[in-house]
Amino acid sequence: MLVTGQPPEIRKLTPDDDLEPLLDLARRSFGPFGGAARDLRLADARESIAAGRHLGAFDGGRLLGAAKFFSMTQWWHGRSLPVAGVANVVVAPEERGRGTGRALMDALVTEMGTQGYPLSVLYPATATVYRRVGYELAGAQYQVSMPARSLRSLPPPDVPAGAAPPALRRVGPDDAAQIDAVISRVHELARACGPVTFDVEVSRRQLDDEDLFCYLADDGFLAYTWSGGHSEIQIYNMVAGSAATARALWSVIASHDSMAGTVRAFVGPADPVSWLTAEPDVSLARHYPWMLRVVDAEAAIAGRGFPLAAEAAVTLRLDDELCPANAGLWKLEISGGKGGLQRLRTDRAPQLPAAGPLTLGGRGFAGLYAGAPVA
C-alpha cells in the first residue's frame, strides 16, 4: 500500500532504473517465467525505455506499477496510421483498486499524444479501467481451427491455372524490412481495415526465433510454428494478395498433414481458407476482442481511408477531458474515400437541429471510428 499517503508519482522509466522490480511485478501479474522468457522481457523493456514509451508508478523509490506501448501501424480501408499498442500494464496486487492503474493509463494516453500517435489499441484483460480513459471495444483478432487433413488436397480453381505458382523463399530477421513492405502493399491493395504491423526493429526480434518458420512471396507472407509437440501447427500471420499466392502458402502448411493433426491460424473470418478446404471443416476457435482509443481526432480522421461510396457531412460535439484537443464542435465530412474534421467556432456555428449535434465521449467516438455497433 502507499506508504506516503500521496498519489503515486508517474514518470518514464530510464536506463538507470533497476529492472528487477519490473520483472517481479510481471511474475506476480502474469505468472512465473525464466530463462529465455526473462531475457526477452528484459530486451523488450530496455527497448521501450530507450524510446520513452515505458512509464512507472512510484511511491518514493518503490515501483507500484508500470505500463508501456509499442509503436505500430494500423490499416483503415487501405490507408495506414501510426498506432500506440498498449502492453504490459501491471500493478502490484496489494495496490490494485487504489487508482494506480488509472493514473498510469491517464499518463500513458497523454504521452501517446505528445509523441504524435493519433490512435491507441490494446487487448483488454479487463475492460473497466480502459473504458474509464476512453477506450471502447472495436473489433477482434480471430483464430480458426481445422483438421490438417482438410488441407491435404486443395480443390482446383474454377479457371485453368495457366501461370506458374508463385516463388516462395524462406526468410528471417534480415528480411524484416522487405516483409513489412510486402504486408503493407497487400493491406493497401486489399483496402484492409483493422490489421496492425509492428515497426521493423520489433519484427526483426520476433523473426529471430529458430522455432518460427517464415516464407515470403512477392505478394504474400506466412509465419508459423509447431505447437503441442508435433500435433498442431499455429499460424501467426498469413497474408496473400492473389489466389495463386494464397494457395501456395496454404500448400506449405498442407505439406505437414502427415504429422500435424490440427492447424490453428490467426486469420480474418473471411479468409479464403474457408473455401480452399475440401470439406467445410474450418471453425472459429477463439476471438480476442481489442479496444480502440482516438488520441488525436483530427489526425485520425484525416489519415484513415473510408469506403469509396461513403458520403457524409455530420456535425459532432466531442467531449474528451483526457485529450482536450479533441473536445469541441466539429464538422465531419467524408467523400471519395477520405475524411476530414473541421473545427467549428461556436460564434459562427451553423444552425443546429433542435435535438442538437451528435454528442460523443471518447468511447462513443472510438466506436464510431471503428464502425462498432455502439448505441
Side-chain angles (χ1 to χ4, degrees), residues 124-144:
T126 174
T128 303
V129 66
Y130 301 119
R131 280 184 161 138
R132 287 173 180 166
V133 293
Y135 287 84
E136 189 48 79
L137 295 169
Q141 180 191 51
Y142 295 89
Q143 185 187 61
V144 300

Side-chain angles (χ1 to χ4, degrees), residues 36-37 40 170-174 202-214 223-226 234 236:
L40 183 60
R170 191 174 172 188
V171 289
D174 293 339
V202 173
S203 296
R204 191 190 309 277
R205 191 168 65 250
Q206 292 174 335
L207 291 163
D208 192 18
D209 180 347
E210 64 180 8
D211 294 325
L212 185 68
F213 307 105
C214 303
Y224 70 95
T225 188
W226 288 90
Q234 174 67 63
Y236 288 105

Side-chain angles (χ1 to χ4, degrees), residues 171-226:
V171 289
D174 293 339
D175 302 289
Q178 187 177 358
I179 292 169
D180 181 70
V182 168
I183 293 174
S184 297
R185 188 164 62 248
V186 172
H187 288 333
E188 181 179 359
L189 293 175
R191 298 188 64 80
C193 193
V196 296
T197 53
F198 290 96
D199 64 28
V200 171
E201 287 307 311
V202 173
S203 296
R204 191 190 309 277
R205 191 168 65 250
Q206 292 174 335
L207 291 163
D208 192 18
D209 180 347
E210 64 180 8
D211 294 325
L212 185 68
F213 307 105
C214 303
Y215 291 87
L216 188 67
D218 287 342
D219 64 341
F221 175 67
L222 166 66
Y224 70 95
T225 188
W226 288 90

Side-chain angles (χ1 to χ4, degrees), residues 181-344:
V182 168
I183 293 174
S184 297
R185 188 164 62 248
V186 172
H187 288 333
E188 181 179 359
L189 293 175
R191 298 188 64 80
C193 193
V196 296
T197 53
F198 290 96
D199 64 28
V200 171
E201 287 307 311
V202 173
S203 296
R204 191 190 309 277
R205 191 168 65 250
Q206 292 174 335
L207 291 163
D208 192 18
D209 180 347
E210 64 180 8
D211 294 325
L212 185 68
F213 307 105
C214 303
Y215 291 87
L216 188 67
D218 287 342
D219 64 341
F221 175 67
L222 166 66
Y224 70 95
T225 188
W226 288 90
S227 178
H230 300 290
S231 62
E232 291 187 0
I233 285 178
Q234 174 67 63
I235 298 173
Y236 288 105
N237 202 349
M238 166 83 81
V239 296
S242 65
T245 297
R247 287 177 174 277
L249 294 176
W250 280 109
S251 292
V252 172
I253 301 301
S255 70
H256 296 299
D257 74 287
S258 63
M259 288 292 294
T262 302
V263 175
R264 299 185 185 275
F266 289 111
V267 295
D271 190 89
V273 69
S274 297
W275 290 271
L276 287 175
T277 54
E279 299 290 345
D281 288 334
V282 179
S283 60
L284 177 65
R286 290 189 68 181
H287 76 283
Y288 302 84
W290 56 270
M291 303 183 83
L292 174 74
R293 213 280 186 210
V294 179
V295 181
D296 183 335
E298 194 171 4
I301 292 293
R304 63 161 288 168
F306 290 86
L308 291 173
E311 297 281 340
V314 182
T315 302
L316 298 176
R317 186 184 304 279
L318 300 182
D319 297 324
D320 196 335
E321 293 183 3
L322 189 53
C323 299
N326 290 346
L329 195 64
W330 300 87
K331 185 175 183 180
L332 169 64
E333 294 185 293
I334 300 167
S335 181
K338 296 183 179 180
L341 272 183
Q342 178 186 359
R343 187 178 290 279
L344 300 176

